[in-house]
Amino acid sequence: MPLYEGLGSGGEKTAVVMDLGEAFTKCGFAGETGPRCIIPSEIKRPDVTKPVRVVQYNINTEELYSYLKEFIHMLYFRHLLVNPRDRRVVIIESVLCPSHFRDTLTRVLFKHFEVPSVLFAPSHLMSLLTLGINSAMVLDCGYTESLVLPIYEGIPILSCWGSLPLGGKAIHKELEYQLLEQCTVDTGLAKGQSLPSVMGSVPEDIVEDIKVRTCFVSDLQRGLKIQAAKFNIDGTAERPSPPPDVDYPLDGEKILHVAGPIRDSVVEILFEQDNEETSVATLILDSLVQCPIDTRKQLAENLVVIGGTAMLPGFLHRLMAEIRYLVEKPKYKEALATKTFRIHTPPAKPNCVAWLGGAIFGALQDILGSRSVSKEYYSQTGRIPDWCCLNNPPLEMMFDVGKAPPPLMKRAFSTEK
C-alpha cells in the first residue's frame, strides 16, 4: 500500500462497497470514482441450464444463503482479489429490502467470510452524497420496480414513498411479446420467417441488448399519439410515422428485423396511466402531495433520478415534460402550488450513482467506524439494527440495558481527545 494511503486512512484498508441490484451488481472500493466491476446478479449451477438470480426474496433461507455465499465468493476472489477479513463492507440496499434478505446477507458476510464490520446504507440517501445536497426527491427506476422516496435534511420521509412494478423487467416482457408477434428473421435457408418459428422465446440478455441498442423514449406529444393509437378507443387515432427498422444479428446466420414501431412504443408502458391513473411521473407528484407542505417547494426543485432504466435515451426529458403536463391537471393543480421542477445531474451514470454515494460514505473512515456493525456486536446480539438517515445512530445500537456495551463500533481513528 502506498505511504499516502496509509497516512490518509489511519493504516486501515479501504472498505469494499457492494450494490446488489436485482439485475446487476456493482462492486468496488470506497474512495474510488467508479465500481471495479458491474456483473449480472446471477450464478451458474451445474444442475440448472439457466443462470440462477441471486437477489430473490421469495425463496427459503438456506437456498438464499448458498446462492449469496457462492456469488460473494466470486466477487471477492474473481473480481476484487482481496481478503474479506481485511476490509469493512458497505452494502447499498433499497429501503424496501426485506429483513429476511438482509439478515441472510449479514450472516454470509460475518459467519462465512468473517468481515470485520458491515454497514447497510439506503440507496436513495447515498445518491444525495454524490451531489452534496441534503434534500431531494429521489426516483430509482431499476429492474423490477420504480421507487420514489423524498429525503428532507438528510432524513428519508418514509411515510411518503411510492412504488410501481414498472422497470427494466416490464419493458423486457413487453419487448419480447412484440418481437415474437411482429418481427421476422432471415436465416441461411429462407428470408422473412416469423420469429416464433425460428426460436420459441428470446433469451433475456438478447432482449436487453435490443432494448439498449435500438429503443428510445419519445417526446410527450409523440408519446401521447402513440398511446392514443395503441388503445384507439374511438378508431380515429393515427400513429405518428415510426422510426426506421433495424437489422439485429442474432448469430452468424440469423438476422432479426426489429420493426420501427416497436422501438419507440415499448417504453411507453412507463408513462401510460393505468386504471388507477398511475405512471412513473405520477409517482413523483403523488409522493410530493403526501409530503409536509413546507417541504414541497424544496423537494420539487431537487429531483434526482437514478437506476439503469433512467439511462434510456430521452427518459429524463420525457419525465420532466410529463410532470409539467400533469401538474396542470385539476388533481395536482390545487394540491401543489409549486410549478418549478428541476432535475440534478449526478457525477456518474444513473446506474452507478448509489454505488458512488456508498463509495464516498465508505471513504469517511471516522463516520464509517461509528456507523458500522462490528463482528463482535453481531455475535453477541445476532441481529443487524436499522438506520436510514444521516443523524446519530439509534440508542439501541449503542448499548443493551443491563449489559456492558459490546464493541459495536471500532473506529479506524478518531479526532476526539
Side-chain angles (χ1 to χ4, degrees):
M1 183 168 66
L3 175 64
Y4 62 85
E5 270 190 40
L7 290 172
S9 63
E12 179 162 319
K13 292 179 178 174
T14 51
V16 170
V17 183
M18 298 181 193
D19 181 356
L20 272 72
E22 292 222 14
F24 288 91
T25 290
K26 284 69 71 178
C27 194
F29 297 106
E32 296 190 348
T33 55
R36 290 287 179 99
C37 64
I38 301 176
I39 58 170
S41 303
E42 55 191 33
I43 52 172
K44 289 184 172 62
R45 283 282 162 114
D47 51 335
V48 186
T49 50
K50 286 175 72 176
V52 179
R53 286 205 180 275
V54 173
V55 182
Q56 295 187 50
Y57 299 145
N58 55 354
I59 59 173
N60 67 58
T61 308
E62 290 314 310
E63 213 174 338
L64 180 61
Y65 184 90
S66 69
Y67 291 166
L68 286 171
K69 187 169 75 174
E70 190 174 328
F71 183 67
I72 291 171
H73 184 277
M74 182 174 74
L75 287 179
Y76 271 118
F77 299 109
R78 188 181 299 173
H79 296 283
L80 297 178
L81 305 175
V82 293
N83 183 352
R85 295 183 187 185
D86 292 347
R87 296 170 188 263
R88 299 173 183 271
V89 178
V90 177
I91 302 285
I92 311 297
E93 64 162 357
S94 164
V95 289
L96 295 186
C97 179
S99 301
H100 152 70
F101 183 84
R102 69 206 298 268
D103 288 346
T104 309
L105 180 55
T106 311
R107 192 153 61 91
V108 169
L109 290 167
F110 278 135
K111 301 290 185 190
H112 187 77
F113 292 100
E114 299 182 3
V115 299
S117 70
V118 173
L119 167 68
F120 280 91
S123 57
H124 290 71
L125 190 61
M126 290 299 107
S127 58
L128 294 200
L129 289 181
T130 64
L131 293 159
I133 56 177
N134 286 338
S135 306
M137 177 72 74
V138 186
L139 171 68
D140 183 357
C141 286
Y143 177 70
T144 50
E145 65 202 356
S146 293
L147 173 65
V148 70
L149 182 68
I151 294 169
Y152 193 75
E153 294 300 330
I155 300 174
I157 310 175
L158 292 171
S159 58
C160 303
W161 67 276
S163 176
L164 279 177
L166 296 174
K169 193 175 184 177
I171 295 172
H172 293 174
K173 190 176 176 184
E174 176 74 8
L175 180 54
E176 184 182 9
Y177 171 73
Q178 292 202 25
L179 287 173
L180 290 168
E181 199 171 69
Q182 299 180 33
C183 292
T184 59
V185 179
D186 290 351
T187 63
L189 303 172
K191 292 193 173 183
Q193 292 180 280
S194 68
L195 182 58
S197 66
V198 177
M199 51 203 302
S201 64
V202 189
E204 190 168 17
D205 56 336
I206 291 177
V207 174
E208 184 184 12
D209 197 46
I210 292 171
K211 176 191 78 172
V212 170
R213 290 174 186 274
T214 67
C215 296
F216 61 92
V217 186
S218 303
D219 62 30
L220 178 64
Q221 298 309 320
R222 181 185 168 84
L224 292 174
K225 286 177 185 171
I226 291 170
Q227 289 175 30
K230 180 180 175 181
F231 297 111
N232 204 5
I233 298 162
D234 53 1
T236 56
E238 276 190 29
R239 195 196 188 287
S241 58
D245 296 359
V246 170
D247 289 347
Y248 179 86
L250 289 170
D251 57 28
E253 294 183 343
K254 302 187 194 78
I255 293 177
L256 172 67
H257 300 294
V258 181
I262 293 176
R263 296 175 57 199
D264 59 355
S265 64
V266 289
V267 189
E268 289 302 316
I269 59 168
L270 299 178
F271 301 102
E272 286 168 6
Q273 293 198 15
D274 58 13
N275 295 337
E276 296 175 354
E277 295 191 345
T278 56
S279 69
V280 171
T282 64
L283 262 186
I284 291 175
L285 295 174
D286 289 340
S287 179
L288 210 52
V289 168
Q290 292 174 43
C291 289
I293 196 163
D294 56 334
T295 65
R296 290 178 194 168
K297 184 173 186 294
Q298 192 173 354
L299 292 172
E301 290 176 1
N302 292 281
L303 300 178
V304 179
V305 183
I306 62 174
T309 303
M311 295 172 74
L312 282 164
F315 180 87
L316 293 180
H317 181 270
R318 174 67 180 275
L319 183 66
M320 285 303 286
E322 288 273 347
I323 289 171
R324 292 191 179 117
Y325 170 71
L326 290 168
V327 83
E328 295 299 331
K329 294 198 167 184
K331 181 181 176 185
Y332 299 111
K333 196 168 187 178
E334 295 161 16
L336 291 173
T338 181
K339 297 285 183 294
T340 311
F341 291 87
R342 295 196 186 96
I343 290 188
H344 282 275
T345 307
K349 295 259 179 79
N351 62 333
C352 293
V353 173
W355 183 92
L356 180 60
I360 293 169
F361 197 77
L364 306 170
Q365 290 280 359
D366 205 22
I367 294 175
L368 181 67
S370 67
R371 292 281 185 164
S372 299
V373 176
S374 69
K375 192 162 62 173
E376 291 90 340
Y377 179 86
Y378 181 77
S379 61
Q380 282 192 28
T381 61
R383 64 192 180 86
I384 185 124
D386 268 326
W387 77 273
C388 62
C389 56
L390 286 176
N391 54 8
N392 291 329
L395 284 175
E396 61 172 30
M397 286 177 67
M398 296 299 188
F399 60 87
D400 284 347
V401 179
K403 275 189 192 175
L408 167 67
M409 306 146 185
K410 283 188 175 174
R411 298 199 172 207
F413 67 95
S414 178
T415 52
E416 296 166 11
K417 297 286 185 191

